[in-house]
Amino acid sequence: MARHQATRFFAGYPTSRGHLPLTIDHHIVMGPDGHPVTRDMAYLALETNGKWLYELAPTGPIYRLSTDLLTDPSVTAAEQMEGVTQWRGTPTVSGMTLDDKATLYLTDIENGRLLSFDTARLPHILLVSPRLVQAGIPGWVKTSAQNDTAGTIWVPAGHVLLRIVLH
């Protein structure tokens, strides 16, 4: 912001390309040309402390980059690219969000699940429902009750908005 310039990053990075076919409800999505559809990077999430930026193509995997590499003007484009590391593999997802503890939440449209990954990269299946194969991007909201460390995940799924209260 001090330089009053926009900076482009991830352009042309191998991590920003979709490499696997898009799979919904265990079926590979085919394009009009008869080839499997892939999608390039579509989701970015920034930790609330601003330290890590996550990037994800719908077919995974999740990559992570220290924001120090984006804000330090002495870091070259090559150093930025080398700083992008694979964080975790994923199924086909329709979106991701982060809570205030850096837990990632993903809507798994390949298998109809709501997943979370804690900071140790451990996967957790929070919910399994056929509705989740139509899910959209999840949203996390901190619970407003005093001394409450939980939150709520909101997930659009078809014509319904699912509310998942976390404890």
Side-chain angles (χ1 to χ4, degrees), residues 12-161:
Y13 282 30
T15 61
S16 66
R17 308 295 302 172
H19 300 285
L20 298 172
L22 191 67
T23 306
I24 300 175
D25 197 16
H26 304 287
H27 300 286
I28 293 176
V29 177
M30 304 301 280
D33 60 359
H35 292 91
V37 172
T38 61
R39 293 284 189 254
D40 292 342
M41 180 176 62
Y43 311 113
L44 292 173
L46 179 65
E47 287 185 359
T48 54
N49 63 13
K51 292 187 184 259
W52 293 99
L53 179 67
Y54 297 84
E55 64 163 296
L56 173 65
T59 55
I62 300 171
Y63 292 92
R64 183 170 91 155
L65 175 68
S66 168
T67 56
D68 290 341
L69 296 172
L70 297 173
T71 57
D72 183 345
S74 68
V75 174
T76 67
E79 289 170 324
Q80 280 183 354
M81 187 178 292
E82 289 171 359
V84 177
T85 57
Q86 184 173 331
W87 192 77
R88 184 77 167 78
T90 67
T92 298
V93 301
S94 65
M96 71 174 169
T97 192
L98 274 165
D99 69 12
D100 61 350
K101 295 174 208 68
T103 299
L104 278 164
Y105 299 92
L106 300 108
T107 45
D108 170 3
I109 59 175
E110 183 173 337
N111 302 294
R113 304 179 300 181
L114 177 65
L115 306 176
S116 72
F117 295 98
D118 59 28
T119 55
R121 299 186 236 186
L122 296 174
H124 304 277
I125 299 171
L126 303 179
L127 178 66
V128 177
S129 171
R131 289 182 174 179
L132 290 172
V133 298
Q134 302 173 34
I137 297 172
W140 177 82
V141 178
K142 184 168 183 60
T143 304
S144 60
Q146 195 171 27
N147 298 324
D148 192 352
T149 58
T152 302
I153 299 286
W154 294 90
V155 182
H159 298 292
V160 198
L161 184 60

